[in-house]
Amino acid sequence: RQRQMCIRDRDMRTPLGIGKGGDTTIAMDKLLEDTILELVKERGDVTVISEEAGEFSLGNPQGYVVIDPLDGSHNFCEFIPMYSASMAYYSGPKLDDCMAACVVDLVTGDFYTSIKGRGAWLNGSLLKTRSPKERISIGVEMHPTTDERALCMARLIPRAGKFRCMGSVAMNLAYLARGTHSAWLDIRGHLRLLDAAAGILLVKEAGGIVTGFNGEDIGQNDVGLDTKLDIVASCDRDIHEKILDIIQK
């Protein structure tokens, strides 16, 4: 009930300034971040990387917690029901060190979780990616930063049965993990780790594939506030290789 009241409250869309992640902070960002940080501070001994508060240490840091309190802020401000909160825990300074993650659909209340080496779940039920029987459904983030990347996306569009730009990175990756999407791409060159951290582990633990634009392993990228990525994520190896082939021609 409290979640629904916040969603409807126009005051929650009031701009408060610019967060350390570089985007405008609205009241809902701040409320969600404060709530999550209260829980993190109870455990302590981590380096926190969060969109609004930036990077700081608690106690004697033994790992990293990456938080995006409101992924899909523009959707939220425009009353488009597609936004989420996400959090990922890393035992070390590289993306491969991600040990656990969660994504909360702030509209439905659905709770996605993943633990490295053990699997991914939606509300407690095991998740598996799903290979398409016919034409594939692809989720994307658009606004390519170069003509070359725009052409990559143009080549892919006619090959997809459905092509969706939904405005929340974490929810797109969660949808791939649950089998709604066949693949998801952000090849703009400036995807923040903040947005994708939790979703990457979800997809991998659900059986999917995640690489960079050229098919490279992204696991040795640093965990940091300024980390930027290209991501191609797919339900299986066959779909992944087909997408890489199309976008790299």
Side-chain angles (χ1 to χ4, degrees):
R1 183 178 178 181
Q2 185 178 17
R3 173 172 56 86
Q4 291 298 328
M5 289 176 63
C6 287
I7 287 172
R8 297 189 185 100
D9 189 347
R10 290 186 178 274
D11 288 342
M12 287 290 101
R13 292 158 172 82
T14 302
L16 301 179
I18 303 298
K20 294 296 180 63
D23 288 344
T24 300
T25 299
I26 61 173
M28 189 65 157
D29 284 310
K30 189 67 167 60
L31 173 64
L32 290 168
E33 184 179 68
D34 289 349
T35 301
I36 295 169
L37 287 179
E38 284 182 15
L39 298 174
V40 174
K41 288 176 181 178
E42 289 178 3
R43 300 298 298 269
D45 295 332
V46 292
T47 294
V48 175
I49 301 172
S50 187
E51 183 172 21
E52 316 310 330
E55 183 170 339
F56 61 93
S57 295
L58 296 172
N60 180 26
Q62 303 298 312
Y64 300 79
V65 173
V66 176
I67 301 167
D68 189 352
L70 182 59
D71 180 39
S73 299
H74 182 73
N75 284 352
F76 178 78
C77 288
E78 298 297 331
F79 293 88
I80 298 171
M82 174 62 64
Y83 38 87
S84 61
S86 64
M87 180 166 61
Y89 170 72
Y90 295 81
S91 61
K94 301 296 183 181
L95 266 63
D96 271 346
D97 297 320
C98 189
M99 305 304 293
C102 65
V103 175
V104 182
D105 185 331
L106 294 171
V107 179
T108 67
D110 282 338
F111 195 66
Y112 299 82
T113 55
S114 56
I115 299 174
K116 188 174 184 177
R118 294 180 58 184
W121 300 267
L122 167 58
N123 300 328
S125 297
L126 191 66
L127 287 177
K128 293 295 290 182
T129 59
R130 184 171 59 192
S131 300
K133 295 182 179 179
E134 298 179 355
R135 300 185 73 186
I136 63 176
S137 171
I138 298 177
V140 296
E141 287 299 318
M142 298 294 284
H143 305 297
T145 52
T146 67
D147 289 344
E148 178 186 356
R149 292 298 172 93
L151 288 172
C152 290
M153 302 304 291
R155 288 194 296 270
L156 191 59
I157 290 172
R159 306 292 189 93
K162 298 290 183 181
F163 208 72
R164 296 185 172 98
C165 183
M166 300 167 66
S168 172
V169 172
M171 285 307 307
N172 270 293
L173 290 168
Y175 278 16
L176 172 56
R178 71 184 289 177
T180 303
H181 291 327
S182 308
W184 181 81
L185 299 84
D186 188 327
I187 57 173
R188 299 172 295 169
H190 56 80
L191 171 64
R192 301 175 307 172
L193 174 62
L194 286 165
D195 300 314
I200 291 171
L201 188 64
L202 273 175
V203 171
K204 287 183 175 181
E205 290 299 319
I209 309 295
V210 182
T211 71
F213 175 77
N214 293 306
E216 74 276 15
D217 181 16
I218 62 172
Q220 290 306 301
N221 281 274
D222 292 331
V223 176
L225 184 65
D226 298 324
T227 297
K228 301 293 193 301
L229 304 167
D230 279 321
I231 284 183
V232 180
S234 307
C235 59
D236 61 35
R237 178 63 65 181
D238 181 56
I239 293 295
H240 199 78
E241 291 179 354
K242 287 178 180 177
I243 290 174
L244 290 176
D245 183 61
I246 292 169
I247 65 176
Q248 290 172 14
K249 285 183 178 178

